[in-house]
Amino acid sequence: MRTSKIYAVCSDINFDLQDKACLLAFWSWHKDIAPYRTIILGDFLDFGMLSRYVQSPNDPVFAIPQIQMFVREANALALESKEVVVVEGNHDERWSKIVGVNPQFLKGAKGLTLEDQCRAHGLSPNVKWFREDVEHRGVKCGPFMLRHGHKQSGRFGGAKHLSSNRLDNTLGQSDVFGHHHRAQMFCKTSYGKTAIAIANPAMTGGHEYAPDADWQQGFTVLEVFGKGESQCTPHLIVMSEGAFAWGGKVYDGNY
C-alpha cells in the first residue's frame, strides 16, 4: 500500500493578534494528524510597534512578549511534527529594520537577528529557520515551492487573482504563498504537466486598520507522494467562524 506524507502550511498568524478560535482549531487538528512537516510561512509575529504605521490604543506595546508567545506555540508544534520550519515574512523582518543594519553583514554576532532572539527565549532546535535570499528562494515541499510572498507579489492586497498571476510568473513552478490573507487556488496544465498556485489564508484576527478586509482564515495541507516526492494532492482549508471539517470530524476552536 502506498502512503503519503502530510505537510501542514500555515501563515500570517501575527502573534499576539491571532484569531484564537482559528488557531485552536488548527492546533487540535495538528495534534490529531501529527504532520510529517509543518511550515509556518511568514508573519508569525505582528511587530506593529516596530513599524512606521500609527498604532491604535489597543495594540500591543512590547515586542518580546510576542516572541515568547510564538516560541511556546512553535515548540508545541515541534513535539507533534518531525520537523517545523519557520519562514520570515515582512512583519518578521521589522526586527532587522529596527536593529538598523542587516544582521547578515555581522555574521557571527549574537543577539541581533530575530532567530537569535527566539533561540534565546527557548525556541527548540527542532524548529528550523529560513530567511529568503537570492540563493534560497523558498522551502521545497514535493513539487511545491513555499514562500511568504511579499518579495514576489508586490504590495499587500495587490492583484485580484493572486494565484493565477503567480503561475504566470513562475514558469510552471507550483507555489504556495501567504502575505495577502487570501484563499485561492489556480491550476494550469501545459504539455501534460499541471502546475498549481495556492494563496494561503491567514490565522490572524481583525486589525483596526482594516475593519472590513477581504481576508479568509485557514491553512493548506499538502499530501506528498510518489518517487522522490514528485507528486502532491493539495487541500485548501478555509475556516468558517473558527471551525472546519476534515475526514468526518469537525474542528471547532470556539469550544
Side-chain angles (χ1 to χ4, degrees), residues 7 37 140-145 173 222 224 228-232:
Y7 292 70
R37 198 179 191 196
K140 200 79 166 64
C141 287
F144 281 86
M145 184 67 75
Q173 168 67 60
L222 303 176
V224 176
E229 299 190 350
S230 60
Q231 297 169 275
C232 180

Side-chain angles (χ1 to χ4, degrees), residues 39-75:
I39 300 91
I40 304 174
L41 200 56
D43 283 4
F44 42 90
L45 297 166
D46 185 67
F47 281 161
M49 73 293 291
L50 303 183
S51 76
R52 60 186 175 85
Y53 299 105
V54 176
Q55 300 298 292
S56 74
N58 298 322
D59 283 341
V61 176
F62 302 110
I64 297 303
Q66 292 190 355
I67 290 176
Q68 293 170 332
M69 182 178 293
F70 161 70
V71 166
R72 287 195 300 270
E73 302 297 350
N75 286 350

Side-chain angles (χ1 to χ4, degrees), residues 159-214:
K160 182 177 181 180
H161 300 291
L162 301 167
S163 54
S164 172
N165 289 349
R166 177 57 62 88
L167 281 189
D168 289 340
N169 295 324
T170 62
L171 301 178
Q173 168 67 60
S174 292
D175 237 18
V176 180
F177 59 98
H179 181 57
H180 295 280
H181 301 192
R182 303 271 294 280
Q184 293 183 356
M185 178 158 48
F186 187 83
C187 307
K188 186 174 183 179
T189 302
S190 180
Y191 294 97
K193 179 183 177 182
T194 298
I196 304 170
I198 298 173
N200 195 58
M203 288 195 180
T204 187
H207 292 237
E208 290 193 17
Y209 68 82
D212 191 27
D214 178 18

Side-chain angles (χ1 to χ4, degrees), residues 1-251:
M1 179 181 176
R2 300 173 68 191
T3 59
S4 64
K5 292 179 180 177
I6 292 182
Y7 292 70
V9 185
C10 62
S11 68
D12 302 281
I13 305 171
N14 293 90
F15 285 117
D16 54 357
L17 298 177
Q18 73 276 12
D19 184 280
K20 294 180 180 179
C22 178
L23 205 57
L24 284 172
F26 174 73
W27 281 180
S28 180
W29 173 89
H30 193 277
K31 185 176 182 179
D32 278 357
I33 302 301
Y36 180 80
R37 198 179 191 196
T38 299
I39 300 91
I40 304 174
L41 200 56
D43 283 4
F44 42 90
L45 297 166
D46 185 67
F47 281 161
M49 73 293 291
L50 303 183
S51 76
R52 60 186 175 85
Y53 299 105
V54 176
Q55 300 298 292
S56 74
N58 298 322
D59 283 341
V61 176
F62 302 110
I64 297 303
Q66 292 190 355
I67 290 176
Q68 293 170 332
M69 182 178 293
F70 161 70
V71 166
R72 287 195 300 270
E73 302 297 350
N75 286 350
L77 293 179
L79 295 175
E80 299 167 355
S81 284
K82 183 174 181 179
E83 181 181 75
V84 172
V85 180
V86 297
V87 178
E88 287 191 27
N90 54 297
H91 278 244
D92 315 308
E93 288 175 352
R94 288 172 174 172
W95 181 272
S96 298
K97 292 176 181 178
I98 206 69
V99 168
V101 62
N102 187 338
Q104 307 306 318
F105 298 155
L106 303 176
K107 186 176 181 180
K110 299 296 183 183
L112 293 181
T113 69
L114 180 57
E115 181 182 3
D116 287 339
Q117 294 301 314
C118 290
R119 300 293 182 195
H121 286 281
L123 186 65
S124 168
N126 291 331
V127 177
K128 309 303 180 185
W129 199 275
F130 183 88
R131 196 168 194 264
E132 186 179 342
D133 57 33
V134 174
E135 295 183 3
H136 308 93
R137 299 300 181 95
V139 176
K140 200 79 166 64
C141 287
F144 281 86
M145 184 67 75
L146 277 56
R147 341 171 197 237
H148 178 62
H150 62 305
K151 296 183 183 295
Q152 293 81 30
S153 301
R155 283 188 60 81
F156 182 88
K160 182 177 181 180
H161 300 291
L162 301 167
S163 54
S164 172
N165 289 349
R166 177 57 62 88
L167 281 189
D168 289 340
N169 295 324
T170 62
L171 301 178
Q173 168 67 60
S174 292
D175 237 18
V176 180
F177 59 98
H179 181 57
H180 295 280
H181 301 192
R182 303 271 294 280
Q184 293 183 356
M185 178 158 48
F186 187 83
C187 307
K188 186 174 183 179
T189 302
S190 180
Y191 294 97
K193 179 183 177 182
T194 298
I196 304 170
I198 298 173
N200 195 58
M203 288 195 180
T204 187
H207 292 237
E208 290 193 17
Y209 68 82
D212 191 27
D214 178 18
W215 294 349
Q216 294 82 50
Q217 295 171 326
F219 62 103
T220 298
V221 181
L222 303 176
E223 289 201 65
V224 176
F225 63 100
K227 185 177 181 180
E229 299 190 350
S230 60
Q231 297 169 275
C232 180
T233 300
H235 308 269
L236 180 58
I237 308 297
V238 180
M239 296 194 193
S240 174
E241 299 179 353
F244 68 97
W246 173 278
K249 180 177 179 179
V250 174
Y251 293 90

